[in-house]
Amino acid sequence: MAIFTKETDFLNALRKSSYSLEKLPDEIAIPALRDGDEAECKPLLLATVDDVAFAQQGLNKEMSRLVEKMEALRRLHDMARGVGAKGSDYALEFVREHGEVKP
C-alpha cells in the first residue's frame, strides 16, 4: 500500500500527460552542499521546488563531465584516424607511434 496514493497517482498521470515528463524519476539526488558530505536521495513526492532545482544542477554537472569525456574520446578517435589508424588498431599506441604528441 502506497503511503501517498493520491500523490503517486498524480505523478503517474503527470508522466503520462507529456512526453517530456514521462522520465520523471521516483527519487532525486540532491548534491551535497559541502565537500565531504554525501548527496541526499529524496522521493520526488517529498521534494521541494528548491530540491528539484538542486537535483537539476547536479545532473547538469554530471552531464558536463560526460560531454567532456565524450569530446576527449572523439578527439582521440579523430587524431588516430588522422594519422592513418584503422578500426582494429590500438588508438593510443597508434597515436603515440604516428602522431605529433610525444611523451
Side-chain angles (χ1 to χ4, degrees), residues 10-87:
F10 177 72
L11 177 57
N12 289 330
L14 191 59
R15 285 175 176 145
K16 291 176 184 176
S17 73
S18 170
Y19 178 76
S20 64
L21 295 172
E22 70 181 24
K23 299 297 182 190
L24 279 172
D26 290 329
E27 292 185 343
I28 59 173
I30 302 162
L33 295 176
R34 297 181 193 94
D35 290 337
D37 289 349
E38 292 187 24
E40 176 188 355
C41 283
K42 181 181 271 193
L44 188 58
L45 294 174
L46 299 177
T48 66
V49 173
D50 281 349
D51 291 337
V52 172
F54 291 136
Q56 184 181 355
Q57 288 175 355
L59 288 170
N60 192 42
K61 285 182 184 179
E62 184 179 327
M63 185 175 64
S64 293
R65 286 190 295 270
L66 288 172
V67 168
E68 288 170 356
K69 285 181 186 180
M70 184 180 67
E71 277 300 305
L73 289 171
R74 183 199 56 78
R75 180 74 177 117
L76 173 61
H77 172 267
D78 292 352
M79 287 173 69
R81 290 291 190 181
V83 292
K86 304 289 187 252

